[in-house]
Each structure stands twice: as structure tokens, then as C-alpha cells.
Amino acid sequence: MQNHQHFIIHKPHGYLSQFVYEKKRHKKLLGELHDFPIGTMAIGRLDEDSEGLLLLTTDGMISEIVRSKTVEKEYLAQVDGIITNEAIEQLQNGVEIGFKGIRYTTKKCQAKIITVLPDCIGAGRRIRDERHGPTSWLSITLTEGKFRQVRKMTAAVGFPTLRLLRIRVGTIELNGLKAGEVMKVEQFHI
């Protein structure tokens, strides 16, 4: 029986959720943040512009479990404008987005306005200043994960995402990890 290794990382903005990038332009990769063992894979992905909790493992079976449609993933999204209760209700009930060239209605989810940000947000990168209009924050908890889904969902209700952080996968939370920090764990308790 192979001894697998598991890691929790706070993926910073500007990094790809992968270890190899075959194209010519240089991209920041996860391997630049830590010396991971051969065979380490990201469980799910966060796009280059997103940040937050990313789980890594050498165990493909764990990856399948975490990516299943039963494990919740919670995101905090800073959106353009002051989000309305009507938009929150639309998100909760599912919205139509594009996925692989077809229209797709998202599953029902949890969504709520956030007025007090958790410490795990950190200073983050500067999105813009108040001269460009107000922004607001919301929490969205999903059990699915289509390509850029949260960004597409907030745009569909009229509030494009400016900053996106994943703060929880199942019972694993980002907590005190700062951007770029990696923590090795014995196993995942999802």
C-alpha cells in the first residue's frame, strides 16, 4: 500500500493550478511555492485570477471523492456594485450560464451577502478604488464546479466578479493560511 501525501495550499492570484505548462509564455506554477513530491495533483482547480483554498494529493481516489457533487465548496466573491437580495435569490435558485458552448442552468446553491470579511481574505490585490464605483461581497456555496462557474453566475445576475477566493472545501477551511503558504496534512477530513 502506497503512503500518499496531502497538502493544503492558499493559492495566490496569478498562479496556475498545475505543475506543468507547455506553452511558450512563462506562467507561475504551484511547484514554485513548495517542493511537492512527484505525482502530486491539484484536486479541482482555481483559475489564474482566482485565489484561496486548493487541496493537493498524490492519491487519485481522494481527488475523485472531493470533486464529487456531494462535497461543498464555498467561495467569497467581490462583485461590481452593491448586490441586491433579488440577485442573491436568483443565484440560490440557479441561473443560466454558458458551458462548453451550451446553455446550462446551475443547481440550487447557498448564497448570502457578506458584510464582515473573514481574516483569511487578507489584504489581497488591489482591484480598484472607490472612484470606479462601489463593490460588495457575497458567499456562494456549491456542490458543482463548471469552468469559471462562480464568475459566470454573478455576471448572469448583473454583478461581475472582481475578486474570487475559495475559502472552504467540505470541512476543510482556509483559516490562517496566507497567500502562498502550504501545509502538509496526514489526511483530508472532508
Side-chain angles (χ1 to χ4, degrees):
M1 182 173 173
Q2 182 179 359
N3 288 332
H4 289 288
Q5 296 185 52
H6 315 286
F7 304 89
I8 298 171
I9 184 172
H10 183 155
K11 185 190 102 47
H13 170 267
Y15 280 76
L16 297 180
S17 295
Q18 58 196 61
F19 293 94
V20 177
Y21 185 72
E22 304 274 332
K23 300 194 174 142
K24 293 194 186 225
R25 283 193 346 220
H26 174 72
K27 295 284 186 174
K28 296 178 188 171
L29 304 173
L30 295 177
E32 296 174 35
L33 298 172
H34 184 78
D35 186 20
F36 294 102
I38 293 172
T40 302
M41 66 189 93
I43 301 175
R45 291 184 181 244
L46 288 172
D47 64 40
E48 186 175 8
D49 292 331
S50 299
E51 50 196 298
L53 182 63
L54 188 61
L55 307 180
L56 302 157
T57 186
T58 59
D59 186 351
M61 290 301 286
I62 292 287
S63 179
E64 288 296 316
I65 292 167
V66 172
R67 291 185 299 118
S68 75
K69 298 202 183 320
T70 60
V71 177
E72 290 183 341
K73 289 91 178 169
E74 183 179 0
Y75 299 83
L76 295 184
Q78 182 182 21
V79 296
D80 187 12
I82 303 299
I83 195 155
T84 63
N85 288 326
E86 178 185 75
I88 292 291
E89 189 175 318
Q90 288 176 310
L91 291 168
Q92 290 171 337
N93 292 320
V95 295
E96 189 174 278
I97 62 172
F99 178 68
K100 292 188 176 179
I102 58 168
R103 300 308 292 165
Y104 173 80
T105 301
T106 61
K107 297 186 182 325
K108 289 188 177 203
C109 70
Q110 297 171 39
K112 62 184 177 185
I113 296 170
I114 299 293
T115 55
V116 177
L117 295 176
D119 291 338
C120 67
I121 293 279
R125 70 189 204 288
R126 185 180 168 126
I127 301 297
R128 64 181 194 200
D129 63 38
E130 54 280 345
R131 293 176 298 161
H132 297 99
T135 66
S136 53
W137 286 87
L138 67 141
S139 164
I140 298 179
T141 303
L142 310 168
T143 56
E144 60 181 344
K146 305 290 185 205
F147 180 71
R148 297 178 68 88
Q149 180 171 337
V150 172
R151 292 178 186 281
K152 290 176 182 179
M153 289 173 69
T154 64
V157 298
F159 296 90
T161 295
L162 302 172
R163 184 174 174 207
L164 183 64
L165 293 97
R166 182 164 49 206
I167 62 165
R168 182 174 63 85
V169 174
T171 60
I172 301 170
E173 296 182 354
L174 191 56
N175 287 334
L177 252 80
K178 303 219 180 321
E181 286 187 329
V182 177
M183 182 171 65
K184 185 174 182 183
V185 294
E186 289 300 314
Q187 60 186 18
F188 292 130
H189 298 284
I190 307 296

